Amino acid sequence: MEPEIKIVNVVVSTKIGDNIDLEEVALILENAEYEPEQFPGLVCRLSVPKVALLIFRSGKVNCTGAKSKEEAEIAIKKIIKELKDAGIEVIENPEIKIQNMVATADLGIEPNLDDIALMVEGTEYEPEQFPGLVYRLDDPKVVVLIFGSGKVVITGLKSEEDAKRALNKILETIKEVQEL
Amino acid sequence: RLRKWQRRIRVSDAAERNLAFALSELDRITSKLGLPRHVRENAAIIYRNAVEKGLIRGRSIEGVVAAAIYAACRRCRVPRTLDEIAEASRVDRKEIGRTYRFLARELNIKLTPTNPIDYVPRFASELGLPGEVESKAIQILQQATEKGLTSGRGPTGVAAAAIYIASVLLGCRRTQREVAEVAGVTEVTIRNRYKELTEHLDIDVTL
DNA sequence: GCTTTAAAAAGTAATGT
DNA sequence: ACATTACTTTGGAAAGC
């Protein structure tokens, strides 16, 4: 059995309009925060699905916190409808692009982080600063955080398939390290 | 011609001024931390290498100096924590850590994670503990390392717990508060590591 | 580089009972 | 001595400083 991979966060971007008046949007959407002095984007939190949306004057939108691309799509459709109902010009079916995904998994073994750091290129292990070992893979181009418990976090993902490939690579290199 | 000549003088002037500033900062911080001469010289070499490779661009001189000192301390096995160096310099720990990683990568400085044992002599002497306690603490840490009890934990916390245990075992007890103070960790951390070490290494600490 | 958003891992920290 | 909350690390986009 392969380790179970759980997607815990999906970051997506899209464009829902042009020259959006964020002051106006802030009044339309209830859980909206807009403080241009602090950040140029408007922050909107939804409870279902539980995500946070960043809306910019350019009409570009980021959605974070979703567990899948579909969930992010539902969230974006929701705010599009609300803005449309309020009379704001919006793009109805915008193209949605996955920018990043975060996944967790359990290797099922307790790796020796010191040995991995010593023998594997592209690793950083500074327990004084963080308990996990940072491993940057070239293909797929992702970053894996490996912990002494065997739990791992994979980020920088563009697809679930990459998570599987990354996990298999990690398991392979750890086995090699254990043998040497 | 003359312009080019003048520009060269200006550039070398600036470079000299920067180097002089960097070295004076290096002196100031290393003496503030009470670091031995060989560590200071090692840090100076690291800094010069960084300058030669043009690694200072986009970074503050002080940040690179602080990171060079941090790296030199570890390489010479007389580690200082990022917090200690951040306090002695006027650079925050985040930037020192980031710059250190950058220097390590670009200058091919390969350092293994700080060994908790390297902190023992300094912490023990600051606590006025005898050599026997130091040896006992080191022995505990060696066993702990073999059993993987140091992996992922902060080196200072594990070292502090080992010293605390050793001091109790050899009858020159220091309180958790005293040990926590010199190690720069909280008593909660010492307690957590203490539990782990005594349980997994079958150490009887009866008070 | 920074600012803001979300989420996980494990360790450490600050506060509170 | 506990618990709770919060911060460390990683990735990416957005617009502006």
Side-chain angles (χ1 to χ4, degrees):
Chain A
M1 257 308 196
E2 293 166 357
E4 183 196 347
I5 296 172
K6 198 173 295 176
I7 304 294
V8 296
N9 186 22
V10 176
V11 180
V12 121
S13 71
T14 188
K15 191 170 191 294
I16 66 165
D18 274 293
N19 268 358
I20 290 188
D21 181 351
L22 297 180
E23 298 271 3
E24 189 185 349
V25 173
L27 297 175
I28 296 168
L29 303 173
E30 36 269 275
N31 357 356
E33 295 172 28
Y34 178 48
E35 277 173 52
E37 314 284 351
Q38 199 172 85
F39 190 69
L42 177 151
V43 182
C44 177
R45 281 166 235 271
L46 294 192
S47 45
V48 275
K50 190 177 176 300
V51 301
L53 296 134
L54 300 180
I55 306 173
F56 299 87
R57 188 184 60 239
S58 63
K60 292 193 175 179
V61 173
N62 287 351
C63 177
T64 65
K67 300 294 185 205
S68 65
K69 185 186 180 184
E70 290 66 39
E71 220 178 73
E73 252 180 275
I74 291 170
I76 290 168
K77 292 251 166 84
K78 269 198 175 187
I79 61 127
I80 286 179
K81 186 177 190 306
E82 284 194 54
L83 295 183
K84 187 190 172 193
D85 290 349
I88 291 180
E89 278 185 53
V90 290
I91 296 171
E92 299 251 16
N93 289 316
E95 187 189 331
I96 293 169
K97 188 185 180 192
I98 292 178
Q99 297 294 351
N100 185 26
M101 295 177 100
V102 182
T104 60
D106 192 338
L107 298 176
I109 49 169
E110 296 196 354
N112 184 317
L113 304 185
D114 288 295
D115 290 345
I116 297 173
L118 209 62
M119 309 174 72
V120 183
E121 289 300 314
T123 59
E124 282 179 8
Y125 177 43
E126 297 289 336
E128 181 188 335
Q129 301 169 65
F130 189 69
L133 178 149
V134 181
Y135 185 15
R136 283 164 226 277
L137 294 185
D138 289 327
D139 180 40
K141 191 181 171 302
V142 300
V143 174
V144 187
L145 306 179
I146 306 175
F147 297 85
S149 63
K151 298 271 183 65
V152 299
V153 173
I154 310 172
T155 187
L157 290 164
K158 295 287 193 213
S159 70
E160 286 104 315
E161 194 51 43
D162 283 349
K164 291 178 184 169
R165 286 209 296 140
L167 198 55
N168 287 330
K169 277 204 172 187
I170 298 158
L171 284 167
E172 239 179 78
T173 66
I174 289 179
K175 279 176 190 166
E176 286 174 24
V177 169
Q178 285 181 332
E179 286 166 21
L180 298 177
Chain B
R1 302 170 311 294
L2 191 58
R3 279 257 181 257
K4 199 171 177 182
W5 180 258
Q6 286 176 328
R7 209 170 84 189
R8 274 192 190 168
I9 291 174
R10 276 185 203 161
V11 169
S12 65
D13 262 1
E16 261 178 57
R17 259 184 295 132
N18 287 341
L19 185 61
F21 172 64
L23 293 179
S24 73
E25 271 297 285
L26 202 148
D27 273 354
R28 184 182 67 80
I29 299 168
T30 50
S31 67
K32 196 168 181 177
L33 290 169
L35 294 169
R37 189 178 307 158
H38 73 280
V39 177
R40 181 181 50 102
E41 284 167 1
N42 208 300
I45 289 171
I46 292 172
Y47 182 84
R48 283 193 155 92
N49 289 150
V51 172
E52 282 172 24
K53 287 207 172 186
L55 304 180
I56 316 291
R57 283 184 185 179
R59 259 164 277 269
S60 73
I61 290 173
E62 287 162 283
V64 178
V65 167
I69 293 171
Y70 176 72
C73 287
R74 282 178 56 169
R75 193 151 67 177
C76 297
R77 311 211 69 170
V78 284
R80 304 280 112 122
T81 63
L82 286 176
D83 281 329
E84 289 174 308
I85 291 175
E87 199 183 295
S89 63
R90 51 197 141 185
V91 187
D92 66 285
R93 62 170 288 165
K94 202 170 180 178
E95 191 189 334
I96 300 173
R98 191 189 301 132
T99 307
Y100 156 72
R101 279 177 237 161
F102 178 72
L103 291 185
R105 170 134 262 97
E106 298 299 319
L107 297 176
N108 290 319
I109 300 172
K110 280 148 191 148
L111 293 178
T112 54
T114 306
N115 190 331
I117 290 174
D118 293 343
Y119 280 113
V120 172
R122 179 159 64 99
F123 292 167
S125 86
E126 275 182 52
L127 288 164
L129 290 166
E132 300 83 64
V133 174
E134 207 174 294
S135 304
K136 184 64 184 173
I138 288 172
Q139 181 209 322
I140 291 169
L141 288 172
Q142 283 168 338
Q143 290 176 246
T145 302
E146 283 167 23
K147 294 205 173 184
L149 297 175
T150 60
S151 174
R153 282 103 187 167
T156 51
V158 194
I163 289 172
Y164 170 72
I165 294 169
S167 78
V168 174
L169 289 180
L170 299 190
C172 18
R173 180 167 190 267
R174 293 295 109 100
T175 64
Q176 293 184 356
R177 186 180 187 94
E178 290 172 316
V179 183
E181 178 69 37
V182 310
V185 296
T186 63
E187 294 154 89
V188 177
T189 295
I190 291 190
R191 243 169 262 139
N192 290 337
R193 296 304 132 236
Y194 162 87
K195 266 191 192 172
E196 220 167 41
L197 294 178
T198 52
E199 281 174 20
H200 296 268
L201 298 178
D202 292 305
I203 299 173
D204 282 321
V205 185
T206 312
L207 297 178

